Amino acid sequence: MKIERLKSVLCGLLTAAIVSMGLALPSWAVDKAGDVVSVRGKAVIERKAGKIDARIKDALLESDSVVTRDKARVKMLFRDDSILTLGANSKLVIKKYLYSPESKRAESIYELADGRLRSVVGSSGFKVTTPTAFAAARGTVFTVSYNMETGATEITVLEGSVEVRNINAEIAGTEVVTAGQSSTVSGDKPPTTPKPADLTVGGVDDKGGLPGLGEGVEPEQHIIDDLHDQAEHSLKPGHQFEQEPAHAVTNVNMNVQFPK
């Protein structure tokens, strides 16, 4: 009787350990889509196994959702070199992610359920949807903002071009938004005619938590390589990582003495 009870306890502990590992790490049988490479403030990763706080070096899987809180920001690097930065009070769902290591090409669909997203596209087959809009891009830099209250999606392109239409395929009308332009999709309407976008905004805003549009330049290859190196080798023993501070400004006191 005692042996059976001991077996039951051991099985329970083993199951709890497996579930706990499943929350923090992807299954060995599932290829990861990308990695979290930067976190500012509070953000969580939601998957079928449960929720975890988003941290640097966390793997991202197909069907994962990334949710940010007030004044938060998460930067993600995907296997096709695409870099996505999710702003504050936002939710991004990795709806589909297929990747070929040989050609380094991916077929990906991301759903921005709320908030703001900045994308640096690494390959073809990159698509972003919102409840009102569908955007297909190739080798470009653009931002997508979706407002749940108004149901409006705004797409601004910094480099390259993005094809935009209503998420409802029965609503006719497609616009190609090019660098320096923006278009809006609301409700059951087709996208508006592209117009010049305000690209003079700079810095980081607390509401969106994203770099300003004035930073609209694609990272050089060595920056992408550094991000991949950080994501792929961060599990080495002794390698230290720190979360970005929750606030953009940190006070530093320095005592500097000059020779007389």
Side-chain angles (χ1 to χ4, degrees):
M1 189 72 177
K2 291 183 179 180
I3 294 177
E4 293 299 325
R5 187 174 183 180
L6 179 60
K7 287 182 179 179
S8 178
V9 172
L10 290 175
C11 288
L13 292 174
L14 180 60
T15 301
I18 292 174
V19 171
S20 177
M21 290 178 65
L23 288 175
L25 297 174
S27 169
W28 292 303
V30 180
D31 288 332
K32 69 178 180 181
D35 300 274
V36 175
V37 294
S38 177
V39 179
R40 173 177 294 168
K42 175 70 172 180
V44 297
I45 298 174
E46 299 176 349
R47 56 177 54 132
K48 293 180 180 179
K51 299 180 181 180
I52 59 173
D53 289 336
R55 297 184 179 277
I56 294 173
K57 75 187 178 185
D58 280 348
L60 297 169
L61 310 178
E62 185 179 74
S63 78
D64 278 358
S65 296
V66 182
V67 181
T68 58
R69 307 307 186 196
D70 188 40
K71 297 184 179 181
R73 185 178 72 186
V74 175
K75 181 174 290 185
M76 299 157 281
L77 175 65
F78 289 85
R79 297 179 66 186
D80 64 343
D81 292 339
S82 294
I83 301 174
L84 275 61
T85 305
L86 188 65
N89 299 312
S90 302
K91 180 177 181 178
L92 180 72
V93 183
I94 306 173
K95 300 286 288 185
K96 176 181 178 182
Y97 198 91
L98 301 175
Y99 178 75
S100 170
E102 293 76 16
S103 61
K104 211 171 185 180
R105 294 170 67 88
E107 179 71 22
S108 57
I109 299 178
Y110 305 93
E111 179 185 7
L112 181 64
D114 190 20
R116 189 178 181 197
L117 175 72
R118 185 178 190 271
S119 307
V120 179
V121 182
S123 69
S124 60
F126 184 99
K127 302 175 181 66
V128 175
T129 69
T130 73
T132 59
F134 175 93
R138 179 176 182 178
T140 188
V141 182
F142 69 106
T143 65
V144 181
S145 300
Y146 175 70
N147 189 318
M148 290 183 63
E149 295 181 359
T150 63
T153 300
E154 182 178 11
I155 297 171
T156 301
V157 179
L158 293 97
E159 293 184 9
S161 61
V162 177
E163 183 178 299
V164 182
R165 64 171 172 81
N166 195 293
I167 190 66
N168 185 351
E170 296 182 356
I171 299 177
T174 300
E175 296 288 348
V176 176
V177 186
T178 58
Q181 296 182 330
S182 66
S183 177
T184 302
V185 184
S186 301
D188 58 354
K189 299 178 181 178
T192 60
T193 301
K195 63 180 182 180
D198 182 7
L199 305 180
T200 61
V201 181
V204 178
D205 65 87
D206 288 337
K207 294 181 180 179
L210 290 175
L213 298 180
E215 295 182 9
V217 292
E218 186 171 356
E220 297 180 5
Q221 187 59 44
H222 75 276
I223 297 178
I224 294 177
D225 292 340
D226 288 344
L227 289 172
H228 271 300
D229 182 70
Q230 174 177 308
E232 292 177 4
H233 301 289
S234 59
L235 294 178
K236 290 183 178 180
H239 199 90
Q240 299 297 319
F241 282 90
E242 294 182 358
Q243 298 291 91
E244 289 188 25
H247 302 287
V249 178
T250 302
N251 294 324
V252 179
N253 296 321
M254 300 180 66
N255 183 12
V256 181
Q257 296 182 356
F258 294 94
K260 297 181 178 179

